[in-house]
PDB file of all heavy atoms in Angstrom:
ATOM      1  N   ILE J   8      -2.008   5.076  -5.732  1.00 87.00           N
ATOM      2  CA  ILE J   8      -0.655   5.027  -6.286  1.00 87.00           C
ATOM      3  C   ILE J   8       0.309   5.860  -5.429  1.00 87.00           C
ATOM      4  O   ILE J   8       1.417   5.455  -5.145  1.00 87.00           O
ATOM      5  CB  ILE J   8      -0.667   5.534  -7.758  1.00 87.00           C
ATOM      6  CG1 ILE J   8      -1.674   4.742  -8.608  1.00 87.00           C
ATOM      7  CG2 ILE J   8       0.782   5.475  -8.307  1.00 87.00           C
ATOM      8  CD1 ILE J   8      -1.347   3.311  -8.821  1.00 87.00           C
ATOM      9  N   ILE J   9      -0.143   7.023  -5.045  1.00 83.00           N
ATOM     10  CA  ILE J   9       0.670   7.877  -4.202  1.00 83.00           C
ATOM     11  C   ILE J   9       0.975   7.157  -2.860  1.00 83.00           C
ATOM     12  O   ILE J   9       2.126   7.168  -2.401  1.00 83.00           O
ATOM     13  CB  ILE J   9      -0.025   9.220  -3.871  1.00 83.00           C
ATOM     14  CG1 ILE J   9      -0.256  10.040  -5.151  1.00 83.00           C
ATOM     15  CG2 ILE J   9       0.736  10.044  -2.847  1.00 83.00           C
ATOM     16  CD1 ILE J   9      -1.083  11.289  -4.952  1.00 83.00           C
ATOM     17  N   PHE J  10      -0.022   6.535  -2.305  1.00 90.00           N
ATOM     18  CA  PHE J  10       0.155   5.849  -1.026  1.00 90.00           C
ATOM     19  C   PHE J  10       1.233   4.774  -1.135  1.00 90.00           C
ATOM     20  O   PHE J  10       2.178   4.740  -0.348  1.00 90.00           O
ATOM     21  CB  PHE J  10      -1.182   5.202  -0.615  1.00 90.00           C
ATOM     22  CG  PHE J  10      -1.089   4.183   0.478  1.00 90.00           C
ATOM     23  CD1 PHE J  10      -0.737   4.557   1.767  1.00 90.00           C
ATOM     24  CD2 PHE J  10      -1.389   2.821   0.196  1.00 90.00           C
ATOM     25  CE1 PHE J  10      -0.626   3.594   2.761  1.00 90.00           C
ATOM     26  CE2 PHE J  10      -1.310   1.894   1.190  1.00 90.00           C
ATOM     27  CZ  PHE J  10      -0.949   2.258   2.466  1.00 90.00           C
ATOM     28  N   VAL J  11       1.125   3.933  -2.136  1.00 91.00           N
ATOM     29  CA  VAL J  11       2.065   2.833  -2.297  1.00 91.00           C
ATOM     30  C   VAL J  11       3.442   3.305  -2.693  1.00 91.00           C
ATOM     31  O   VAL J  11       4.480   2.820  -2.206  1.00 91.00           O
ATOM     32  CB  VAL J  11       1.553   1.814  -3.322  1.00 91.00           C
ATOM     33  CG1 VAL J  11       2.577   0.680  -3.545  1.00 91.00           C
ATOM     34  CG2 VAL J  11       0.233   1.225  -2.857  1.00 91.00           C
ATOM     35  N   PHE J  12       3.491   4.346  -3.536  1.00 88.00           N
ATOM     36  CA  PHE J  12       4.785   4.871  -4.017  1.00 88.00           C
ATOM     37  C   PHE J  12       5.643   5.429  -2.911  1.00 88.00           C
ATOM     38  O   PHE J  12       6.898   5.350  -2.969  1.00 88.00           O
ATOM     39  CB  PHE J  12       4.527   5.914  -5.096  1.00 88.00           C
ATOM     40  CG  PHE J  12       5.764   6.342  -5.830  1.00 88.00           C
ATOM     41  CD1 PHE J  12       6.315   5.554  -6.828  1.00 88.00           C
ATOM     42  CD2 PHE J  12       6.436   7.525  -5.489  1.00 88.00           C
ATOM     43  CE1 PHE J  12       7.487   5.933  -7.512  1.00 88.00           C
ATOM     44  CE2 PHE J  12       7.596   7.922  -6.137  1.00 88.00           C
ATOM     45  CZ  PHE J  12       8.120   7.125  -7.174  1.00 88.00           C
ATOM     46  N   PHE J  13       5.033   6.026  -1.908  1.00 88.00           N
ATOM     47  CA  PHE J  13       5.781   6.531  -0.764  1.00 88.00           C
ATOM     48  C   PHE J  13       5.983   5.431   0.301  1.00 88.00           C
ATOM     49  O   PHE J  13       7.012   5.418   0.966  1.00 88.00           O
ATOM     50  CB  PHE J  13       5.055   7.715  -0.117  1.00 88.00           C
ATOM     51  CG  PHE J  13       5.279   9.010  -0.855  1.00 88.00           C
ATOM     52  CD1 PHE J  13       4.368   9.463  -1.763  1.00 88.00           C
ATOM     53  CD2 PHE J  13       6.426   9.754  -0.640  1.00 88.00           C
ATOM     54  CE1 PHE J  13       4.537  10.639  -2.475  1.00 88.00           C
ATOM     55  CE2 PHE J  13       6.618  10.962  -1.272  1.00 88.00           C
ATOM     56  CZ  PHE J  13       5.704  11.386  -2.238  1.00 88.00           C
ATOM     57  N   LEU J  14       5.019   4.551   0.422  1.00 94.00           N
ATOM     58  CA  LEU J  14       5.064   3.507   1.462  1.00 94.00           C
ATOM     59  C   LEU J  14       6.231   2.532   1.242  1.00 94.00           C
ATOM     60  O   LEU J  14       7.057   2.319   2.175  1.00 94.00           O
ATOM     61  CB  LEU J  14       3.753   2.748   1.520  1.00 94.00           C
ATOM     62  CG  LEU J  14       3.691   1.579   2.509  1.00 94.00           C
ATOM     63  CD1 LEU J  14       3.700   2.119   3.930  1.00 94.00           C
ATOM     64  CD2 LEU J  14       2.410   0.753   2.256  1.00 94.00           C
ATOM     65  N   VAL J  15       6.308   1.959   0.051  1.00 95.00           N
ATOM     66  CA  VAL J  15       7.317   0.876  -0.173  1.00 95.00           C
ATOM     67  C   VAL J  15       8.760   1.413  -0.074  1.00 95.00           C
ATOM     68  O   VAL J  15       9.571   0.850   0.625  1.00 95.00           O
ATOM     69  CB  VAL J  15       7.043   0.212  -1.551  1.00 95.00           C
ATOM     70  CG1 VAL J  15       8.139  -0.817  -1.883  1.00 95.00           C
ATOM     71  CG2 VAL J  15       5.696  -0.480  -1.519  1.00 95.00           C
ATOM     72  N   PRO J  16       9.122   2.517  -0.777  1.00 94.00           N
ATOM     73  CA  PRO J  16      10.484   3.023  -0.602  1.00 94.00           C
ATOM     74  C   PRO J  16      10.744   3.480   0.840  1.00 94.00           C
ATOM     75  O   PRO J  16      11.879   3.309   1.329  1.00 94.00           O
ATOM     76  CB  PRO J  16      10.566   4.209  -1.561  1.00 94.00           C
ATOM     77  CG  PRO J  16       9.522   3.923  -2.565  1.00 94.00           C
ATOM     78  CD  PRO J  16       8.415   3.249  -1.837  1.00 94.00           C
ATOM     79  N   GLY J  17       9.724   3.999   1.551  1.00 94.00           N
ATOM     80  CA  GLY J  17       9.928   4.429   2.880  1.00 94.00           C
ATOM     81  C   GLY J  17      10.248   3.266   3.829  1.00 94.00           C
ATOM     82  O   GLY J  17      11.156   3.340   4.645  1.00 94.00           O
ATOM     83  N   ILE J  18       9.505   2.184   3.652  1.00 96.00           N
ATOM     84  CA  ILE J  18       9.802   0.984   4.465  1.00 96.00           C
ATOM     85  C   ILE J  18      11.151   0.408   4.112  1.00 96.00           C
ATOM     86  O   ILE J  18      11.919  -0.021   5.016  1.00 96.00           O
ATOM     87  CB  ILE J  18       8.705  -0.061   4.248  1.00 96.00           C
ATOM     88  CG1 ILE J  18       7.356   0.427   4.814  1.00 96.00           C
ATOM     89  CG2 ILE J  18       9.080  -1.402   4.895  1.00 96.00           C
ATOM     90  CD1 ILE J  18       6.185  -0.496   4.572  1.00 96.00           C
ATOM     91  N   THR J  19      11.516   0.403   2.831  1.00 96.00           N
ATOM     92  CA  THR J  19      12.788  -0.115   2.390  1.00 96.00           C
ATOM     93  C   THR J  19      13.951   0.667   3.012  1.00 96.00           C
ATOM     94  O   THR J  19      14.893   0.099   3.551  1.00 96.00           O
ATOM     95  CB  THR J  19      12.895  -0.072   0.857  1.00 96.00           C
ATOM     96  OG1 THR J  19      11.799  -0.803   0.295  1.00 96.00           O
ATOM     97  CG2 THR J  19      14.195  -0.672   0.384  1.00 96.00           C
ATOM     98  N   TYR J  20      13.840   1.993   2.932  1.00 96.00           N
ATOM     99  CA  TYR J  20      14.891   2.834   3.502  1.00 96.00           C
ATOM    100  C   TYR J  20      14.999   2.632   5.015  1.00 96.00           C
ATOM    101  O   TYR J  20      16.094   2.479   5.557  1.00 96.00           O
ATOM    102  CB  TYR J  20      14.600   4.322   3.188  1.00 96.00           C
ATOM    103  CG  TYR J  20      15.621   5.270   3.802  1.00 96.00           C
ATOM    104  CD1 TYR J  20      16.783   5.572   3.121  1.00 96.00           C
ATOM    105  CD2 TYR J  20      15.392   5.863   5.031  1.00 96.00           C
ATOM    106  CE1 TYR J  20      17.730   6.443   3.699  1.00 96.00           C
ATOM    107  CE2 TYR J  20      16.303   6.703   5.593  1.00 96.00           C
ATOM    108  CZ  TYR J  20      17.484   7.008   4.937  1.00 96.00           C
ATOM    109  OH  TYR J  20      18.411   7.857   5.494  1.00 96.00           O
ATOM    110  N   GLY J  21      13.847   2.599   5.658  1.00 96.00           N
ATOM    111  CA  GLY J  21      13.822   2.419   7.124  1.00 96.00           C
ATOM    112  C   GLY J  21      14.418   1.109   7.542  1.00 96.00           C
ATOM    113  O   GLY J  21      15.083   1.020   8.564  1.00 96.00           O
ATOM    114  N   ALA J  22      14.160   0.045   6.731  1.00 95.00           N
ATOM    115  CA  ALA J  22      14.709  -1.261   7.104  1.00 95.00           C
ATOM    116  C   ALA J  22      16.226  -1.273   6.977  1.00 95.00           C
ATOM    117  O   ALA J  22      16.919  -1.949   7.785  1.00 95.00           O
ATOM    118  CB  ALA J  22      14.111  -2.303   6.149  1.00 95.00           C
ATOM    119  N   VAL J  23      16.766  -0.542   6.016  1.00 96.00           N
ATOM    120  CA  VAL J  23      18.230  -0.511   5.858  1.00 96.00           C
ATOM    121  C   VAL J  23      18.896   0.306   6.923  1.00 96.00           C
ATOM    122  O   VAL J  23      19.922  -0.117   7.506  1.00 96.00           O
ATOM    123  CB  VAL J  23      18.564   0.055   4.444  1.00 96.00           C
ATOM    124  CG1 VAL J  23      20.092   0.269   4.303  1.00 96.00           C
ATOM    125  CG2 VAL J  23      18.056  -0.878   3.353  1.00 96.00           C
ATOM    126  N   VAL J  24      18.365   1.484   7.247  1.00 95.00           N
ATOM    127  CA  VAL J  24      19.019   2.348   8.229  1.00 95.00           C
ATOM    128  C   VAL J  24      18.597   2.087   9.655  1.00 95.00           C
ATOM    129  O   VAL J  24      19.207   2.612  10.611  1.00 95.00           O
ATOM    130  CB  VAL J  24      18.742   3.842   7.918  1.00 95.00           C
ATOM    131  CG1 VAL J  24      19.223   4.170   6.503  1.00 95.00           C
ATOM    132  CG2 VAL J  24      17.276   4.213   8.093  1.00 95.00           C
ATOM    133  N   GLY J  25      17.603   1.245   9.848  1.00 94.00           N
ATOM    134  CA  GLY J  25      17.189   0.851  11.203  1.00 94.00           C
ATOM    135  C   GLY J  25      16.100   1.682  11.826  1.00 94.00           C
ATOM    136  O   GLY J  25      15.811   1.489  13.010  1.00 94.00           O
ATOM    137  N   THR J  26      15.421   2.556  11.016  1.00 94.00           N
ATOM    138  CA  THR J  26      14.329   3.300  11.595  1.00 94.00           C
ATOM    139  C   THR J  26      12.993   2.587  11.497  1.00 94.00           C
ATOM    140  O   THR J  26      12.016   2.958  12.157  1.00 94.00           O
ATOM    141  CB  THR J  26      14.201   4.671  10.904  1.00 94.00           C
ATOM    142  OG1 THR J  26      14.084   4.462   9.474  1.00 94.00           O
ATOM    143  CG2 THR J  26      15.397   5.563  11.178  1.00 94.00           C
ATOM    144  N   MET J  27      12.936   1.558  10.681  1.00 94.00           N
ATOM    145  CA  MET J  27      11.742   0.710  10.535  1.00 94.00           C
ATOM    146  C   MET J  27      12.122  -0.731  10.774  1.00 94.00           C
ATOM    147  O   MET J  27      12.500  -1.480   9.884  1.00 94.00           O
ATOM    148  CB  MET J  27      11.143   0.852   9.124  1.00 94.00           C
ATOM    149  CG  MET J  27      10.631   2.251   8.805  1.00 94.00           C
ATOM    150  SD  MET J  27       9.066   2.607   9.630  1.00 94.00           S
ATOM    151  CE  MET J  27       9.005   4.378   9.517  1.00 94.00           C
ATOM    152  N   ARG J  28      12.099  -1.144  12.065  1.00 93.00           N
ATOM    153  CA  ARG J  28      12.570  -2.458  12.445  1.00 93.00           C
ATOM    154  C   ARG J  28      11.467  -3.487  12.467  1.00 93.00           C
ATOM    155  O   ARG J  28      11.681  -4.709  12.441  1.00 93.00           O
ATOM    156  CB  ARG J  28      13.259  -2.408  13.804  1.00 93.00           C
ATOM    157  CG  ARG J  28      14.498  -1.526  13.844  1.00 93.00           C
ATOM    158  CD  ARG J  28      15.107  -1.520  15.210  1.00 93.00           C
ATOM    159  NE  ARG J  28      16.281  -0.594  15.251  1.00 93.00           N
ATOM    160  CZ  ARG J  28      17.503  -0.951  14.863  1.00 93.00           C
ATOM    161  NH1 ARG J  28      17.757  -2.172  14.407  1.00 93.00           N
ATOM    162  NH2 ARG J  28      18.490  -0.069  14.941  1.00 93.00           N
ATOM    163  N   SER J  29      10.205  -3.028  12.571  1.00 93.00           N
ATOM    164  CA  SER J  29       9.069  -3.966  12.677  1.00 93.00           C
ATOM    165  C   SER J  29       7.824  -3.292  12.149  1.00 93.00           C
ATOM    166  O   SER J  29       7.834  -2.098  11.841  1.00 93.00           O
ATOM    167  CB  SER J  29       8.866  -4.427  14.114  1.00 93.00           C
ATOM    168  OG  SER J  29       8.401  -3.312  14.914  1.00 93.00           O
ATOM    169  N   ASP J  30       6.747  -4.068  12.085  1.00 93.00           N
ATOM    170  CA  ASP J  30       5.497  -3.471  11.631  1.00 93.00           C
ATOM    171  C   ASP J  30       5.011  -2.416  12.594  1.00 93.00           C
ATOM    172  O   ASP J  30       4.290  -1.465  12.203  1.00 93.00           O
ATOM    173  CB  ASP J  30       4.399  -4.578  11.503  1.00 93.00           C
ATOM    174  CG  ASP J  30       4.139  -5.301  12.812  1.00 93.00           C
ATOM    175  OD1 ASP J  30       5.063  -5.387  13.658  1.00 93.00           O
ATOM    176  OD2 ASP J  30       3.016  -5.754  13.018  1.00 93.00           O
ATOM    177  N   ARG J  31       5.428  -2.510  13.852  1.00 95.00           N
ATOM    178  CA  ARG J  31       5.026  -1.498  14.827  1.00 95.00           C
ATOM    179  C   ARG J  31       5.551  -0.145  14.472  1.00 95.00           C
ATOM    180  O   ARG J  31       4.878   0.890  14.608  1.00 95.00           O
ATOM    181  CB  ARG J  31       5.524  -1.907  16.240  1.00 95.00           C
ATOM    182  CG  ARG J  31       5.310  -0.841  17.316  1.00 95.00           C
ATOM    183  CD  ARG J  31       3.858  -0.619  17.580  1.00 95.00           C
ATOM    184  NE  ARG J  31       3.210  -1.805  18.106  1.00 95.00           N
ATOM    185  CZ  ARG J  31       1.897  -1.908  18.396  1.00 95.00           C
ATOM    186  NH1 ARG J  31       1.163  -0.816  18.159  1.00 95.00           N
ATOM    187  NH2 ARG J  31       1.394  -2.997  18.861  1.00 95.00           N
ATOM    188  N   ASP J  32       6.802  -0.059  13.931  1.00 95.00           N
ATOM    189  CA  ASP J  32       7.357   1.246  13.534  1.00 95.00           C
ATOM    190  C   ASP J  32       6.612   1.812  12.350  1.00 95.00           C
ATOM    191  O   ASP J  32       6.404   3.039  12.261  1.00 95.00           O
ATOM    192  CB  ASP J  32       8.861   1.037  13.144  1.00 95.00           C
ATOM    193  CG  ASP J  32       9.727   0.640  14.344  1.00 95.00           C
ATOM    194  OD1 ASP J  32       9.471   1.152  15.425  1.00 95.00           O
ATOM    195  OD2 ASP J  32      10.630  -0.144  14.142  1.00 95.00           O
ATOM    196  N   VAL J  33       6.165   0.954  11.407  1.00 95.00           N
ATOM    197  CA  VAL J  33       5.403   1.428  10.264  1.00 95.00           C
ATOM    198  C   VAL J  33       4.071   1.956  10.732  1.00 95.00           C
ATOM    199  O   VAL J  33       3.626   3.029  10.311  1.00 95.00           O
ATOM    200  CB  VAL J  33       5.195   0.298   9.247  1.00 95.00           C
ATOM    201  CG1 VAL J  33       4.328   0.747   8.111  1.00 95.00           C
ATOM    202  CG2 VAL J  33       6.519  -0.201   8.694  1.00 95.00           C
ATOM    203  N   ILE J  34       3.427   1.243  11.649  1.00 95.00           N
ATOM    204  CA  ILE J  34       2.112   1.678  12.158  1.00 95.00           C
ATOM    205  C   ILE J  34       2.266   2.986  12.922  1.00 95.00           C
ATOM    206  O   ILE J  34       1.445   3.906  12.786  1.00 95.00           O
ATOM    207  CB  ILE J  34       1.524   0.580  13.083  1.00 95.00           C
ATOM    208  CG1 ILE J  34       1.167  -0.660  12.222  1.00 95.00           C
ATOM    209  CG2 ILE J  34       0.264   1.103  13.798  1.00 95.00           C
ATOM    210  CD1 ILE J  34       0.844  -1.891  13.041  1.00 95.00           C
ATOM    211  N   ASP J  35       3.349   3.110  13.752  1.00 94.00           N
ATOM    212  CA  ASP J  35       3.570   4.373  14.486  1.00 94.00           C
ATOM    213  C   ASP J  35       3.755   5.529  13.558  1.00 94.00           C
ATOM    214  O   ASP J  35       3.339   6.664  13.832  1.00 94.00           O
ATOM    215  CB  ASP J  35       4.798   4.192  15.410  1.00 94.00           C
ATOM    216  CG  ASP J  35       4.495   3.288  16.603  1.00 94.00           C
ATOM    217  OD1 ASP J  35       3.277   3.019  16.877  1.00 94.00           O
ATOM    218  OD2 ASP J  35       5.461   2.828  17.236  1.00 94.00           O
ATOM    219  N   ALA J  36       4.474   5.265  12.424  1.00 92.00           N
ATOM    220  CA  ALA J  36       4.677   6.351  11.441  1.00 92.00           C
ATOM    221  C   ALA J  36       3.358   6.813  10.820  1.00 92.00           C
ATOM    222  O   ALA J  36       3.107   8.015  10.660  1.00 92.00           O
ATOM    223  CB  ALA J  36       5.646   5.895  10.364  1.00 92.00           C
ATOM    224  N   MET J  37       2.514   5.847  10.484  1.00 94.00           N
ATOM    225  CA  MET J  37       1.203   6.193   9.959  1.00 94.00           C
ATOM    226  C   MET J  37       0.360   6.945  10.969  1.00 94.00           C
ATOM    227  O   MET J  37      -0.313   7.927  10.639  1.00 94.00           O
ATOM    228  CB  MET J  37       0.461   4.928   9.496  1.00 94.00           C
ATOM    229  CG  MET J  37       1.077   4.272   8.269  1.00 94.00           C
ATOM    230  SD  MET J  37       0.105   2.788   7.774  1.00 94.00           S
ATOM    231  CE  MET J  37       1.000   2.294   6.296  1.00 94.00           C
ATOM    232  N   ALA J  38       0.386   6.452  12.225  1.00 93.00           N
ATOM    233  CA  ALA J  38      -0.405   7.126  13.278  1.00 93.00           C
ATOM    234  C   ALA J  38       0.132   8.539  13.498  1.00 93.00           C
ATOM    235  O   ALA J  38      -0.645   9.490  13.745  1.00 93.00           O
ATOM    236  CB  ALA J  38      -0.344   6.317  14.552  1.00 93.00           C
ATOM    237  N   GLY J  39       1.468   8.696  13.434  1.00 89.00           N
ATOM    238  CA  GLY J  39       2.035  10.060  13.616  1.00 89.00           C
ATOM    239  C   GLY J  39       1.568  10.975  12.516  1.00 89.00           C
ATOM    240  O   GLY J  39       1.300  12.195  12.794  1.00 89.00           O
ATOM    241  N   ALA J  40       1.498  10.487  11.267  1.00 85.00           N
ATOM    242  CA  ALA J  40       1.022  11.303  10.180  1.00 85.00           C
ATOM    243  C   ALA J  40      -0.437  11.723  10.388  1.00 85.00           C
ATOM    244  O   ALA J  40      -0.828  12.871  10.157  1.00 85.00           O
ATOM    245  CB  ALA J  40       1.164  10.565   8.878  1.00 85.00           C
ATOM    246  N   MET J  41      -1.249  10.776  10.907  1.00 89.00           N
ATOM    247  CA  MET J  41      -2.644  11.116  11.161  1.00 89.00           C
ATOM    248  C   MET J  41      -2.784  12.124  12.278  1.00 89.00           C
ATOM    249  O   MET J  41      -3.677  12.955  12.279  1.00 89.00           O
ATOM    250  CB  MET J  41      -3.418   9.819  11.520  1.00 89.00           C
ATOM    251  CG  MET J  41      -3.558   8.848  10.376  1.00 89.00           C
ATOM    252  SD  MET J  41      -4.538   9.452   8.965  1.00 89.00           S
ATOM    253  CE  MET J  41      -3.192   9.915   7.864  1.00 89.00           C
ATOM    254  N   SER J  42      -1.908  12.040  13.279  1.00 87.00           N
ATOM    255  CA  SER J  42      -2.021  12.947  14.437  1.00 87.00           C
ATOM    256  C   SER J  42      -1.775  14.414  14.025  1.00 87.00           C
ATOM    257  O   SER J  42      -2.207  15.303  14.757  1.00 87.00           O
ATOM    258  CB  SER J  42      -1.011  12.545  15.520  1.00 87.00           C
ATOM    259  OG  SER J  42       0.325  12.736  15.104  1.00 87.00           O
ATOM    260  N   THR J  43      -1.077  14.597  12.920  1.00 79.00           N
ATOM    261  CA  THR J  43      -0.821  16.021  12.465  1.00 79.00           C
ATOM    262  C   THR J  43      -2.039  16.604  11.709  1.00 79.00           C
ATOM    263  O   THR J  43      -2.007  17.765  11.359  1.00 79.00           O
ATOM    264  CB  THR J  43       0.400  16.068  11.549  1.00 79.00           C
ATOM    265  OG1 THR J  43       0.146  15.298  10.347  1.00 79.00           O
ATOM    266  CG2 THR J  43       1.621  15.478  12.248  1.00 79.00           C
ATOM    267  N   LEU J  44      -3.027  15.761  11.443  1.00 81.00           N
ATOM    268  CA  LEU J  44      -4.164  16.200  10.626  1.00 81.00           C
ATOM    269  C   LEU J  44      -5.416  16.497  11.423  1.00 81.00           C
ATOM    270  O   LEU J  44      -6.497  16.658  10.886  1.00 81.00           O
ATOM    271  CB  LEU J  44      -4.478  15.110   9.561  1.00 81.00           C
ATOM    272  CG  LEU J  44      -3.398  14.839   8.543  1.00 81.00           C
ATOM    273  CD1 LEU J  44      -3.814  13.686   7.640  1.00 81.00           C
ATOM    274  CD2 LEU J  44      -3.123  16.093   7.695  1.00 81.00           C
ATOM    275  N   GLY J  45      -5.266  16.622  12.750  1.00 85.00           N
ATOM    276  CA  GLY J  45      -6.437  16.902  13.588  1.00 85.00           C
ATOM    277  C   GLY J  45      -7.153  18.185  13.223  1.00 85.00           C
ATOM    278  O   GLY J  45      -8.369  18.221  12.994  1.00 85.00           O
ATOM    279  N   LEU J  46      -6.385  19.286  13.084  1.00 81.00           N
ATOM    280  CA  LEU J  46      -6.988  20.554  12.711  1.00 81.00           C
ATOM    281  C   LEU J  46      -7.571  20.490  11.311  1.00 81.00           C
ATOM    282  O   LEU J  46      -8.631  21.088  11.074  1.00 81.00           O
ATOM    283  CB  LEU J  46      -5.929  21.652  12.818  1.00 81.00           C
ATOM    284  CG  LEU J  46      -6.394  23.052  12.418  1.00 81.00           C
ATOM    285  CD1 LEU J  46      -7.560  23.516  13.330  1.00 81.00           C
ATOM    286  CD2 LEU J  46      -5.238  24.071  12.512  1.00 81.00           C
ATOM    287  N   TYR J  47      -6.881  19.809  10.422  1.00 81.00           N
ATOM    288  CA  TYR J  47      -7.402  19.659   9.024  1.00 81.00           C
ATOM    289  C   TYR J  47      -8.761  18.995   9.039  1.00 81.00           C
ATOM    290  O   TYR J  47      -9.688  19.452   8.325  1.00 81.00           O
ATOM    291  CB  TYR J  47      -6.428  18.858   8.205  1.00 81.00           C
ATOM    292  CG  TYR J  47      -6.972  18.445   6.853  1.00 81.00           C
ATOM    293  CD1 TYR J  47      -7.157  19.358   5.822  1.00 81.00           C
ATOM    294  CD2 TYR J  47      -7.397  17.144   6.625  1.00 81.00           C
ATOM    295  CE1 TYR J  47      -7.678  18.978   4.606  1.00 81.00           C
ATOM    296  CE2 TYR J  47      -7.946  16.739   5.413  1.00 81.00           C
ATOM    297  CZ  TYR J  47      -8.063  17.679   4.392  1.00 81.00           C
ATOM    298  OH  TYR J  47      -8.599  17.322   3.196  1.00 81.00           O
ATOM    299  N   MET J  48      -8.965  17.978   9.835  1.00 88.00           N
ATOM    300  CA  MET J  48     -10.252  17.264   9.868  1.00 88.00           C
ATOM    301  C   MET J  48     -11.349  18.119  10.459  1.00 88.00           C
ATOM    302  O   MET J  48     -12.501  18.080   9.998  1.00 88.00           O
ATOM    303  CB  MET J  48     -10.120  15.936  10.640  1.00 88.00           C
ATOM    304  CG  MET J  48      -9.339  14.864   9.813  1.00 88.00           C
ATOM    305  SD  MET J  48      -9.334  13.248  10.594  1.00 88.00           S
ATOM    306  CE  MET J  48      -8.064  13.439  11.755  1.00 88.00           C
ATOM    307  N   VAL J  49     -10.999  18.934  11.472  1.00 89.00           N
ATOM    308  CA  VAL J  49     -11.973  19.873  12.037  1.00 89.00           C
ATOM    309  C   VAL J  49     -12.406  20.885  10.959  1.00 89.00           C
ATOM    310  O   VAL J  49     -13.583  21.183  10.768  1.00 89.00           O
ATOM    311  CB  VAL J  49     -11.423  20.585  13.262  1.00 89.00           C
ATOM    312  CG1 VAL J  49     -12.405  21.654  13.772  1.00 89.00           C
ATOM    313  CG2 VAL J  49     -11.138  19.582  14.371  1.00 89.00           C
ATOM    314  N   LEU J  50     -11.398  21.404  10.206  1.00 83.00           N
ATOM    315  CA  LEU J  50     -11.674  22.345   9.150  1.00 83.00           C
ATOM    316  C   LEU J  50     -12.582  21.736   8.080  1.00 83.00           C
ATOM    317  O   LEU J  50     -13.510  22.342   7.601  1.00 83.00           O
ATOM    318  CB  LEU J  50     -10.334  22.837   8.547  1.00 83.00           C
ATOM    319  CG  LEU J  50     -10.428  23.770   7.346  1.00 83.00           C
ATOM    320  CD1 LEU J  50     -10.929  25.127   7.784  1.00 83.00           C
ATOM    321  CD2 LEU J  50      -9.045  23.910   6.683  1.00 83.00           C
ATOM    322  N   VAL J  51     -12.224  20.495   7.695  1.00 85.00           N
ATOM    323  CA  VAL J  51     -12.992  19.850   6.636  1.00 85.00           C
ATOM    324  C   VAL J  51     -14.436  19.619   7.056  1.00 85.00           C
ATOM    325  O   VAL J  51     -15.349  19.703   6.217  1.00 85.00           O
ATOM    326  CB  VAL J  51     -12.297  18.477   6.257  1.00 85.00           C
ATOM    327  CG1 VAL J  51     -13.244  17.579   5.509  1.00 85.00           C
ATOM    328  CG2 VAL J  51     -11.060  18.744   5.439  1.00 85.00           C
ATOM    329  N   PHE J  52     -14.686  19.328   8.305  1.00 93.00           N
ATOM    330  CA  PHE J  52     -16.068  19.110   8.785  1.00 93.00           C
ATOM    331  C   PHE J  52     -16.942  20.322   8.431  1.00 93.00           C
ATOM    332  O   PHE J  52     -18.019  20.201   7.865  1.00 93.00           O
ATOM    333  CB  PHE J  52     -16.105  18.807  10.275  1.00 93.00           C
ATOM    334  CG  PHE J  52     -17.479  18.743  10.852  1.00 93.00           C
ATOM    335  CD1 PHE J  52     -18.244  17.607  10.670  1.00 93.00           C
ATOM    336  CD2 PHE J  52     -18.041  19.804  11.521  1.00 93.00           C
ATOM    337  CE1 PHE J  52     -19.542  17.551  11.185  1.00 93.00           C
ATOM    338  CE2 PHE J  52     -19.326  19.749  12.016  1.00 93.00           C
ATOM    339  CZ  PHE J  52     -20.093  18.623  11.839  1.00 93.00           C
TER     340      PHE J  52
END
């Protein structure tokens, strides 16, 4: 629920202001979020 609740309004806002023009922008945003979690994943291991 958290995933969808942030995803849908985020895509909607991005489509209106021009920060989310294609699926590539959405994928890049997700990849960027994952890139910030490298240290977290090492810690979790």
